[in-house]
Amino acid sequence: MMSDKPQAEPRAGIIPYMWHEDKEAYIFMFMVPSVAKYGGPHIQIAKGKIDKGENTFQAAIREGTEELGLIHSNMAEQPFEVSKFLQTTMKDQYFLHVYGVEVKDKKKFNKPHFETKFTTWVTSERFQEIGRKSHKHIVADLDKMLRKGKKKK
């Protein structure tokens, strides 16, 4: 069902992940914005608007670099699409394209952008408890995809 809220510019985001042997689970990297206007107080997917001349893939990588400190050489693979859905907020709605990327080392990240208060690694299960409500289904879908060995091309 479409909302009567105004359509905003699409956004793109990225979720770095890796297998955690001790937990026998995938862990995922998220951020908490430094200011509520950047997305609220909960851990959430690093995401943002798509700049002029960018496609969703390029924007997702840029957002990961800015908001998480993602380093290209730390990516173990090419990012892949996880989800595309209509995100509705209190003031508008927009399409959010989310990518996943396996990383080699969870400590090999640069300092994130000023919009990031801090970053953290959690399991999908933990994200369901404390993460941004509208992002929970994306994280659950990514975890399920990884466990089944199925990635979208």
Side-chain angles (χ1 to χ4, degrees), residues 41-146:
H42 300 288
I43 64 170
Q44 59 190 275
I45 297 167
K47 61 167 183 29
K49 292 180 181 174
I50 300 166
D51 288 345
K52 187 174 182 165
E54 282 184 324
N55 60 38
T56 60
F57 178 83
Q58 293 164 330
I61 301 276
R62 179 182 48 74
E63 289 296 333
T65 301
E66 291 174 359
E67 296 184 359
L68 301 173
L70 181 64
I71 298 172
H72 294 243
S73 63
N74 192 30
M75 294 190 295
E77 62 183 6
Q78 184 81 351
F80 58 94
E81 187 174 273
V82 175
S83 178
K84 174 187 173 186
F85 75 102
L86 187 63
Q87 169 80 55
T88 301
T89 69
M90 293 180 71
K91 63 180 181 174
D92 59 21
Q93 60 184 356
Y94 55 85
F95 280 99
L96 176 58
H97 302 257
V98 180
Y99 294 81
V101 65
E102 184 176 10
V103 294
K104 300 171 191 172
D105 184 342
K106 76 177 204 170
K107 294 180 181 176
K108 190 177 177 186
F109 283 77
N110 287 324
K111 184 178 178 183
H113 192 265
F114 73 91
E115 291 180 2
T116 301
K117 185 174 186 177
F118 66 88
T119 61
T120 188
W121 289 87
V122 297
T123 62
S124 175
E125 183 178 323
R126 182 70 176 138
F127 189 85
Q128 300 310 310
E129 297 169 358
I130 63 173
R132 184 173 175 175
K133 184 178 179 182
S134 62
H135 293 178
K136 290 179 180 182
H137 68 97
I138 302 168
V139 176
D141 287 350
L142 174 56
D143 189 51
K144 199 178 300 179
M145 285 167 64
L146 295 172

